[in-house]
Amino acid sequence: MEKVILTVLPGLFVKSTPWKNAHKYFFEGIYKETNDKSMLMWMERGEDFIKGVNAAMLKIMPKATEQERAEETRKRFLEAILKGIKLTPSLKNKEIINCFEKLKSKYKIALITTSRLEAINLILEELEMTDFFDIIEAQVRDENQNQIVEKFIKRCGKPLLFIGGDRNDAYYFCKSQGIKCVYANLENKDGNKDVISIKTVEELKSFL
């Protein structure tokens, strides 16, 4: 059985800024299309901005099916993330990337993502990281991160370690499976993940 380290992309190898700001670029685009100023309000909302997304898609695609609106939403958020990647300075965590490059002689580096495979491939292409990950487990339908980890384990077995970002669900599942977890808190965010937290590449190396 190959030794695998399971990882995420934003917050570890690159700054999470393009993902955190994606909804802002999304609503900016809707405003430019519709001239509806209410769309600008959602740019500054917290986690409930998804309500604005639903309202926006109904406004611009009133006759579309729910599936068609969902596909268009994914497309627009991908465009927003790619725009954020282009606009974010010093995006890559080069020390982390270099650290994992050296580990690839001993371990397989796997990525889990709630993006579809086509989308994550475009993101990795924009980041010039298309050959970085040995294994990619992407979303196929509408699985959450928890379910994607479970799918990964069924396909590849349990990883030696899961290094995640600021989303909790995968940590809980990995811990229930006896998988060691590390929270890559490189952006110094608040929140108790109930797992070991690392803030520097040196701290990360102590677990590898």
Side-chain angles (χ1 to χ4, degrees), residues 125-152:
E125 182 178 343
E126 186 65 36
L127 291 168
E128 299 181 342
M129 295 179 67
T130 52
D131 297 323
F132 185 79
F133 296 100
D134 300 297
I135 306 166
I136 297 175
E137 194 70 58
Q139 188 186 69
V140 175
R141 296 179 180 85
D142 292 315
E143 304 102 326
N144 59 31
Q145 196 180 60
N146 207 25
Q147 293 167 322
I148 293 169
V149 174
E150 184 175 13
K151 187 170 62 172
F152 171 84

PDB file of all heavy atoms in Angstrom, residues 125-152:
ATOM      1  N   GLU A 125      -4.093  24.501 -13.600  1.00  0.00           N
ATOM      2  CA  GLU A 125      -3.403  25.019 -14.784  1.00  0.00           C
ATOM      3  C   GLU A 125      -3.062  26.488 -14.594  1.00  0.00           C
ATOM      4  O   GLU A 125      -1.946  26.925 -14.913  1.00  0.00           O
ATOM      5  CB  GLU A 125      -4.286  24.830 -16.011  1.00  0.00           C
ATOM      6  CG  GLU A 125      -3.648  25.283 -17.312  1.00  0.00           C
ATOM      7  CD  GLU A 125      -4.528  25.038 -18.522  1.00  0.00           C
ATOM      8  OE1 GLU A 125      -5.480  24.233 -18.420  1.00  0.00           O
ATOM      9  OE2 GLU A 125      -4.275  25.664 -19.563  1.00  0.00           O
ATOM     10  N   GLU A 126      -4.006  27.265 -14.073  1.00  0.00           N
ATOM     11  CA  GLU A 126      -3.768  28.691 -13.828  1.00  0.00           C
ATOM     12  C   GLU A 126      -2.662  28.887 -12.796  1.00  0.00           C
ATOM     13  O   GLU A 126      -1.874  29.839 -12.880  1.00  0.00           O
ATOM     14  CB  GLU A 126      -5.063  29.367 -13.353  1.00  0.00           C
ATOM     15  CG  GLU A 126      -4.979  30.865 -13.204  1.00  0.00           C
ATOM     16  CD  GLU A 126      -4.755  31.584 -14.519  1.00  0.00           C
ATOM     17  OE1 GLU A 126      -5.305  31.140 -15.557  1.00  0.00           O
ATOM     18  OE2 GLU A 126      -4.005  32.585 -14.528  1.00  0.00           O
ATOM     19  N   LEU A 127      -2.586  27.977 -11.822  1.00  0.00           N
ATOM     20  CA  LEU A 127      -1.568  28.049 -10.768  1.00  0.00           C
ATOM     21  C   LEU A 127      -0.222  27.453 -11.198  1.00  0.00           C
ATOM     22  O   LEU A 127       0.746  27.512 -10.444  1.00  0.00           O
ATOM     23  CB  LEU A 127      -2.057  27.297  -9.524  1.00  0.00           C
ATOM     24  CG  LEU A 127      -3.216  27.920  -8.759  1.00  0.00           C
ATOM     25  CD1 LEU A 127      -3.767  26.928  -7.740  1.00  0.00           C
ATOM     26  CD2 LEU A 127      -2.769  29.209  -8.059  1.00  0.00           C
ATOM     27  N   GLU A 128      -0.200  26.861 -12.397  1.00  0.00           N
ATOM     28  CA  GLU A 128       0.985  26.156 -12.894  1.00  0.00           C
ATOM     29  C   GLU A 128       1.372  25.019 -11.939  1.00  0.00           C
ATOM     30  O   GLU A 128       2.528  24.829 -11.591  1.00  0.00           O
ATOM     31  CB  GLU A 128       2.154  27.127 -13.097  1.00  0.00           C
ATOM     32  CG  GLU A 128       1.859  28.210 -14.122  1.00  0.00           C
ATOM     33  CD  GLU A 128       3.012  29.166 -14.342  1.00  0.00           C
ATOM     34  OE1 GLU A 128       3.925  29.222 -13.485  1.00  0.00           O
ATOM     35  OE2 GLU A 128       3.013  29.864 -15.376  1.00  0.00           O
ATOM     36  N   MET A 129       0.345  24.244 -11.532  1.00  0.00           N
ATOM     37  CA  MET A 129       0.528  23.123 -10.617  1.00  0.00           C
ATOM     38  C   MET A 129      -0.116  21.847 -11.168  1.00  0.00           C
ATOM     39  O   MET A 129      -0.526  20.975 -10.409  1.00  0.00           O
ATOM     40  CB  MET A 129      -0.054  23.450  -9.238  1.00  0.00           C
ATOM     41  CG  MET A 129       0.653  24.584  -8.501  1.00  0.00           C
ATOM     42  SD  MET A 129      -0.093  24.954  -6.886  1.00  0.00           S
ATOM     43  CE  MET A 129       0.288  23.446  -5.965  1.00  0.00           C
ATOM     44  N   THR A 130      -0.199  21.731 -12.477  1.00  0.00           N
ATOM     45  CA  THR A 130      -0.928  20.605 -13.059  1.00  0.00           C
ATOM     46  C   THR A 130      -0.296  19.245 -12.750  1.00  0.00           C
ATOM     47  O   THR A 130      -0.984  18.226 -12.729  1.00  0.00           O
ATOM     48  CB  THR A 130      -1.044  20.761 -14.590  1.00  0.00           C
ATOM     49  OG1 THR A 130       0.264  20.992 -15.140  1.00  0.00           O
ATOM     50  CG2 THR A 130      -1.956  21.921 -14.944  1.00  0.00           C
ATOM     51  N   ASP A 131       1.010  19.213 -12.516  1.00  0.00           N
ATOM     52  CA  ASP A 131       1.689  17.943 -12.250  1.00  0.00           C
ATOM     53  C   ASP A 131       2.052  17.760 -10.778  1.00  0.00           C
ATOM     54  O   ASP A 131       2.795  16.835 -10.435  1.00  0.00           O
ATOM     55  CB  ASP A 131       2.977  17.857 -13.093  1.00  0.00           C
ATOM     56  CG  ASP A 131       2.692  17.868 -14.583  1.00  0.00           C
ATOM     57  OD1 ASP A 131       1.676  17.274 -14.983  1.00  0.00           O
ATOM     58  OD2 ASP A 131       3.465  18.487 -15.334  1.00  0.00           O
ATOM     59  N   PHE A 132       1.527  18.612  -9.925  1.00  0.00           N
ATOM     60  CA  PHE A 132       1.953  18.593  -8.525  1.00  0.00           C
ATOM     61  C   PHE A 132       1.343  17.426  -7.746  1.00  0.00           C
ATOM     62  O   PHE A 132       2.034  16.743  -6.987  1.00  0.00           O
ATOM     63  CB  PHE A 132       1.597  19.914  -7.847  1.00  0.00           C
ATOM     64  CG  PHE A 132       2.093  20.030  -6.438  1.00  0.00           C
ATOM     65  CD1 PHE A 132       3.425  20.354  -6.183  1.00  0.00           C
ATOM     66  CD2 PHE A 132       1.246  19.802  -5.363  1.00  0.00           C
ATOM     67  CE1 PHE A 132       3.902  20.453  -4.891  1.00  0.00           C
ATOM     68  CE2 PHE A 132       1.714  19.894  -4.067  1.00  0.00           C
ATOM     69  CZ  PHE A 132       3.044  20.219  -3.821  1.00  0.00           C
ATOM     70  N   PHE A 133       0.057  17.175  -7.909  1.00  0.00           N
ATOM     71  CA  PHE A 133      -0.635  16.159  -7.115  1.00  0.00           C
ATOM     72  C   PHE A 133      -0.621  14.807  -7.816  1.00  0.00           C
ATOM     73  O   PHE A 133      -0.854  14.716  -9.019  1.00  0.00           O
ATOM     74  CB  PHE A 133      -2.078  16.586  -6.823  1.00  0.00           C
ATOM     75  CG  PHE A 133      -2.168  17.831  -5.983  1.00  0.00           C
ATOM     76  CD1 PHE A 133      -2.414  19.066  -6.573  1.00  0.00           C
ATOM     77  CD2 PHE A 133      -1.983  17.764  -4.620  1.00  0.00           C
ATOM     78  CE1 PHE A 133      -2.484  20.213  -5.800  1.00  0.00           C
ATOM     79  CE2 PHE A 133      -2.043  18.909  -3.843  1.00  0.00           C
ATOM     80  CZ  PHE A 133      -2.292  20.132  -4.436  1.00  0.00           C
ATOM     81  N   ASP A 134      -0.368  13.766  -7.039  1.00  0.00           N
ATOM     82  CA  ASP A 134      -0.360  12.413  -7.585  1.00  0.00           C
ATOM     83  C   ASP A 134      -1.772  11.855  -7.732  1.00  0.00           C
ATOM     84  O   ASP A 134      -2.039  11.041  -8.621  1.00  0.00           O
ATOM     85  CB  ASP A 134       0.452  11.496  -6.664  1.00  0.00           C
ATOM     86  CG  ASP A 134       1.896  11.955  -6.519  1.00  0.00           C
ATOM     87  OD1 ASP A 134       2.612  11.959  -7.531  1.00  0.00           O
ATOM     88  OD2 ASP A 134       2.284  12.331  -5.402  1.00  0.00           O
ATOM     89  N   ILE A 135      -2.661  12.279  -6.850  1.00  0.00           N
ATOM     90  CA  ILE A 135      -4.047  11.790  -6.830  1.00  0.00           C
ATOM     91  C   ILE A 135      -4.960  12.987  -6.594  1.00  0.00           C
ATOM     92  O   ILE A 135      -4.666  13.836  -5.747  1.00  0.00           O
ATOM     93  CB  ILE A 135      -4.283  10.759  -5.706  1.00  0.00           C
ATOM     94  CG1 ILE A 135      -3.274   9.606  -5.801  1.00  0.00           C
ATOM     95  CG2 ILE A 135      -5.713  10.214  -5.753  1.00  0.00           C
ATOM     96  CD1 ILE A 135      -3.235   8.740  -4.547  1.00  0.00           C
ATOM     97  N   ILE A 136      -6.059  13.051  -7.327  1.00  0.00           N
ATOM     98  CA  ILE A 136      -7.069  14.088  -7.102  1.00  0.00           C
ATOM     99  C   ILE A 136      -8.415  13.419  -6.920  1.00  0.00           C
ATOM    100  O   ILE A 136      -8.853  12.640  -7.759  1.00  0.00           O
ATOM    101  CB  ILE A 136      -7.139  15.084  -8.274  1.00  0.00           C
ATOM    102  CG1 ILE A 136      -5.817  15.835  -8.428  1.00  0.00           C
ATOM    103  CG2 ILE A 136      -8.292  16.069  -8.060  1.00  0.00           C
ATOM    104  CD1 ILE A 136      -5.762  16.759  -9.634  1.00  0.00           C
ATOM    105  N   GLU A 137      -9.071  13.721  -5.804  1.00  0.00           N
ATOM    106  CA  GLU A 137     -10.436  13.239  -5.554  1.00  0.00           C
ATOM    107  C   GLU A 137     -11.348  14.455  -5.581  1.00  0.00           C
ATOM    108  O   GLU A 137     -11.330  15.291  -4.674  1.00  0.00           O
ATOM    109  CB  GLU A 137     -10.522  12.531  -4.202  1.00  0.00           C
ATOM    110  CG  GLU A 137     -11.787  11.729  -4.008  1.00  0.00           C
ATOM    111  CD  GLU A 137     -11.841  10.476  -4.893  1.00  0.00           C
ATOM    112  OE1 GLU A 137     -10.939   9.627  -4.793  1.00  0.00           O
ATOM    113  OE2 GLU A 137     -12.798  10.366  -5.685  1.00  0.00           O
ATOM    114  N   ALA A 138     -12.132  14.571  -6.650  1.00  0.00           N
ATOM    115  CA  ALA A 138     -12.963  15.751  -6.863  1.00  0.00           C
ATOM    116  C   ALA A 138     -14.439  15.428  -6.661  1.00  0.00           C
ATOM    117  O   ALA A 138     -14.836  14.264  -6.570  1.00  0.00           O
ATOM    118  CB  ALA A 138     -12.733  16.294  -8.272  1.00  0.00           C
ATOM    119  N   GLN A 139     -15.224  16.472  -6.629  1.00  0.00           N
ATOM    120  CA  GLN A 139     -16.671  16.307  -6.515  1.00  0.00           C
ATOM    121  C   GLN A 139     -17.226  15.800  -7.845  1.00  0.00           C
ATOM    122  O   GLN A 139     -16.841  16.267  -8.911  1.00  0.00           O
ATOM    123  CB  GLN A 139     -17.309  17.659  -6.168  1.00  0.00           C
ATOM    124  CG  GLN A 139     -18.776  17.586  -5.828  1.00  0.00           C
ATOM    125  CD  GLN A 139     -19.381  18.963  -5.635  1.00  0.00           C
ATOM    126  OE1 GLN A 139     -19.517  19.716  -6.586  1.00  0.00           O
ATOM    127  NE2 GLN A 139     -19.725  19.302  -4.408  1.00  0.00           N
ATOM    128  N   VAL A 140     -18.128  14.835  -7.775  1.00  0.00           N
ATOM    129  CA  VAL A 140     -18.779  14.316  -8.968  1.00  0.00           C
ATOM    130  C   VAL A 140     -20.208  14.836  -9.060  1.00  0.00           C
ATOM    131  O   VAL A 140     -20.649  15.314 -10.103  1.00  0.00           O
ATOM    132  CB  VAL A 140     -18.777  12.774  -8.986  1.00  0.00           C
ATOM    133  CG1 VAL A 140     -19.574  12.246 -10.178  1.00  0.00           C
ATOM    134  CG2 VAL A 140     -17.341  12.252  -9.029  1.00  0.00           C
ATOM    135  N   ARG A 141     -20.915  14.763  -7.942  1.00  0.00           N
ATOM    136  CA  ARG A 141     -22.276  15.302  -7.923  1.00  0.00           C
ATOM    137  C   ARG A 141     -22.269  16.520  -7.003  1.00  0.00           C
ATOM    138  O   ARG A 141     -21.713  17.531  -7.347  1.00  0.00           O
ATOM    139  CB  ARG A 141     -23.258  14.223  -7.474  1.00  0.00           C
ATOM    140  CG  ARG A 141     -23.321  13.053  -8.468  1.00  0.00           C
ATOM    141  CD  ARG A 141     -24.274  11.962  -8.007  1.00  0.00           C
ATOM    142  NE  ARG A 141     -24.329  10.858  -8.964  1.00  0.00           N
ATOM    143  CZ  ARG A 141     -23.458   9.850  -8.980  1.00  0.00           C
ATOM    144  NH1 ARG A 141     -22.472   9.802  -8.084  1.00  0.00           N
ATOM    145  NH2 ARG A 141     -23.558   8.896  -9.878  1.00  0.00           N
ATOM    146  N   ASP A 142     -22.886  16.406  -5.860  1.00  0.00           N
ATOM    147  CA  ASP A 142     -22.875  17.528  -4.912  1.00  0.00           C
ATOM    148  C   ASP A 142     -22.374  17.062  -3.555  1.00  0.00           C
ATOM    149  O   ASP A 142     -22.867  17.497  -2.508  1.00  0.00           O
ATOM    150  CB  ASP A 142     -24.286  18.131  -4.776  1.00  0.00           C
ATOM    151  CG  ASP A 142     -24.738  18.823  -6.048  1.00  0.00           C
ATOM    152  OD1 ASP A 142     -23.922  19.579  -6.622  1.00  0.00           O
ATOM    153  OD2 ASP A 142     -25.874  18.619  -6.481  1.00  0.00           O
ATOM    154  N   GLU A 143     -21.367  16.199  -3.545  1.00  0.00           N
ATOM    155  CA  GLU A 143     -20.832  15.684  -2.285  1.00  0.00           C
ATOM    156  C   GLU A 143     -20.169  16.804  -1.492  1.00  0.00           C
ATOM    157  O   GLU A 143     -19.559  17.709  -2.065  1.00  0.00           O
ATOM    158  CB  GLU A 143     -19.791  14.588  -2.532  1.00  0.00           C
ATOM    159  CG  GLU A 143     -20.277  13.418  -3.368  1.00  0.00           C
ATOM    160  CD  GLU A 143     -19.795  13.508  -4.794  1.00  0.00           C
ATOM    161  OE1 GLU A 143     -19.675  14.644  -5.297  1.00  0.00           O
ATOM    162  OE2 GLU A 143     -19.563  12.448  -5.390  1.00  0.00           O
ATOM    163  N   ASN A 144     -20.278  16.708  -0.165  1.00  0.00           N
ATOM    164  CA  ASN A 144     -19.529  17.637   0.677  1.00  0.00           C
ATOM    165  C   ASN A 144     -18.121  17.073   0.896  1.00  0.00           C
ATOM    166  O   ASN A 144     -17.799  15.969   0.466  1.00  0.00           O
ATOM    167  CB  ASN A 144     -20.255  17.901   2.001  1.00  0.00           C
ATOM    168  CG  ASN A 144     -20.479  16.632   2.812  1.00  0.00           C
ATOM    169  OD1 ASN A 144     -19.689  15.693   2.751  1.00  0.00           O
ATOM    170  ND2 ASN A 144     -21.565  16.602   3.573  1.00  0.00           N
ATOM    171  N   GLN A 145     -17.295  17.853   1.579  1.00  0.00           N
ATOM    172  CA  GLN A 145     -15.904  17.446   1.777  1.00  0.00           C
ATOM    173  C   GLN A 145     -15.810  16.115   2.522  1.00  0.00           C
ATOM    174  O   GLN A 145     -14.961  15.268   2.216  1.00  0.00           O
ATOM    175  CB  GLN A 145     -15.151  18.544   2.527  1.00  0.00           C
ATOM    176  CG  GLN A 145     -13.637  18.405   2.457  1.00  0.00           C
ATOM    177  CD  GLN A 145     -12.931  19.513   3.200  1.00  0.00           C
ATOM    178  OE1 GLN A 145     -13.106  19.681   4.400  1.00  0.00           O
ATOM    179  NE2 GLN A 145     -12.117  20.282   2.495  1.00  0.00           N
ATOM    180  N   ASN A 146     -16.698  15.934   3.470  1.00  0.00           N
ATOM    181  CA  ASN A 146     -16.768  14.705   4.250  1.00  0.00           C
ATOM    182  C   ASN A 146     -16.949  13.488   3.341  1.00  0.00           C
ATOM    183  O   ASN A 146     -16.235  12.484   3.437  1.00  0.00           O
ATOM    184  CB  ASN A 146     -17.965  14.823   5.200  1.00  0.00           C
ATOM    185  CG  ASN A 146     -17.794  14.000   6.444  1.00  0.00           C
ATOM    186  OD1 ASN A 146     -16.697  13.704   6.858  1.00  0.00           O
ATOM    187  ND2 ASN A 146     -18.904  13.626   7.041  1.00  0.00           N
ATOM    188  N   GLN A 147     -17.911  13.591   2.441  1.00  0.00           N
ATOM    189  CA  GLN A 147     -18.223  12.481   1.537  1.00  0.00           C
ATOM    190  C   GLN A 147     -17.102  12.237   0.527  1.00  0.00           C
ATOM    191  O   GLN A 147     -16.867  11.108   0.122  1.00  0.00           O
ATOM    192  CB  GLN A 147     -19.544  12.779   0.820  1.00  0.00           C
ATOM    193  CG  GLN A 147     -20.744  12.786   1.753  1.00  0.00           C
ATOM    194  CD  GLN A 147     -21.978  13.378   1.108  1.00  0.00           C
ATOM    195  OE1 GLN A 147     -21.898  14.350   0.353  1.00  0.00           O
ATOM    196  NE2 GLN A 147     -23.135  12.799   1.397  1.00  0.00           N
ATOM    197  N   ILE A 148     -16.412  13.294   0.154  1.00  0.00           N
ATOM    198  CA  ILE A 148     -15.313  13.147  -0.794  1.00  0.00           C
ATOM    199  C   ILE A 148     -14.142  12.422  -0.137  1.00  0.00           C
ATOM    200  O   ILE A 148     -13.480  11.582  -0.771  1.00  0.00           O
ATOM    201  CB  ILE A 148     -14.893  14.526  -1.346  1.00  0.00           C
ATOM    202  CG1 ILE A 148     -16.036  15.097  -2.204  1.00  0.00           C
ATOM    203  CG2 ILE A 148     -13.609  14.419  -2.180  1.00  0.00           C
ATOM    204  CD1 ILE A 148     -15.858  16.541  -2.586  1.00  0.00           C
ATOM    205  N   VAL A 149     -13.888  12.710   1.135  1.00  0.00           N
ATOM    206  CA  VAL A 149     -12.851  11.972   1.863  1.00  0.00           C
ATOM    207  C   VAL A 149     -13.226  10.494   1.949  1.00  0.00           C
ATOM    208  O   VAL A 149     -12.384   9.609   1.735  1.00  0.00           O
ATOM    209  CB  VAL A 149     -12.639  12.545   3.272  1.00  0.00           C
ATOM    210  CG1 VAL A 149     -11.659  11.670   4.062  1.00  0.00           C
ATOM    211  CG2 VAL A 149     -12.110  13.966   3.202  1.00  0.00           C
ATOM    212  N   GLU A 150     -14.481  10.214   2.252  1.00  0.00           N
ATOM    213  CA  GLU A 150     -14.941   8.827   2.345  1.00  0.00           C
ATOM    214  C   GLU A 150     -14.749   8.109   1.009  1.00  0.00           C
ATOM    215  O   GLU A 150     -14.297   6.957   0.955  1.00  0.00           O
ATOM    216  CB  GLU A 150     -16.410   8.797   2.755  1.00  0.00           C
ATOM    217  CG  GLU A 150     -16.954   7.395   2.969  1.00  0.00           C
ATOM    218  CD  GLU A 150     -18.379   7.390   3.493  1.00  0.00           C
ATOM    219  OE1 GLU A 150     -19.031   8.451   3.468  1.00  0.00           O
ATOM    220  OE2 GLU A 150     -18.837   6.322   3.937  1.00  0.00           O
ATOM    221  N   LYS A 151     -15.064   8.801  -0.080  1.00  0.00           N
ATOM    222  CA  LYS A 151     -14.894   8.242  -1.421  1.00  0.00           C
ATOM    223  C   LYS A 151     -13.410   7.967  -1.706  1.00  0.00           C
ATOM    224  O   LYS A 151     -13.061   6.931  -2.290  1.00  0.00           O
ATOM    225  CB  LYS A 151     -15.475   9.226  -2.442  1.00  0.00           C
ATOM    226  CG  LYS A 151     -15.525   8.724  -3.855  1.00  0.00           C
ATOM    227  CD  LYS A 151     -16.342   9.675  -4.742  1.00  0.00           C
ATOM    228  CE  LYS A 151     -15.702  11.047  -4.805  1.00  0.00           C
ATOM    229  NZ  LYS A 151     -16.376  11.913  -5.809  1.00  0.00           N
ATOM    230  N   PHE A 152     -12.561   8.882  -1.268  1.00  0.00           N
ATOM    231  CA  PHE A 152     -11.121   8.720  -1.448  1.00  0.00           C
ATOM    232  C   PHE A 152     -10.619   7.467  -0.722  1.00  0.00           C
ATOM    233  O   PHE A 152      -9.848   6.687  -1.276  1.00  0.00           O
ATOM    234  CB  PHE A 152     -10.372   9.956  -0.946  1.00  0.00           C
ATOM    235  CG  PHE A 152      -8.881   9.771  -0.906  1.00  0.00           C
ATOM    236  CD1 PHE A 152      -8.118   9.979  -2.030  1.00  0.00           C
ATOM    237  CD2 PHE A 152      -8.245   9.370   0.261  1.00  0.00           C
ATOM    238  CE1 PHE A 152      -6.742   9.785  -2.010  1.00  0.00           C
ATOM    239  CE2 PHE A 152      -6.879   9.178   0.302  1.00  0.00           C
ATOM    240  CZ  PHE A 152      -6.122   9.389  -0.843  1.00  0.00           C
TER     241      PHE A 152
END
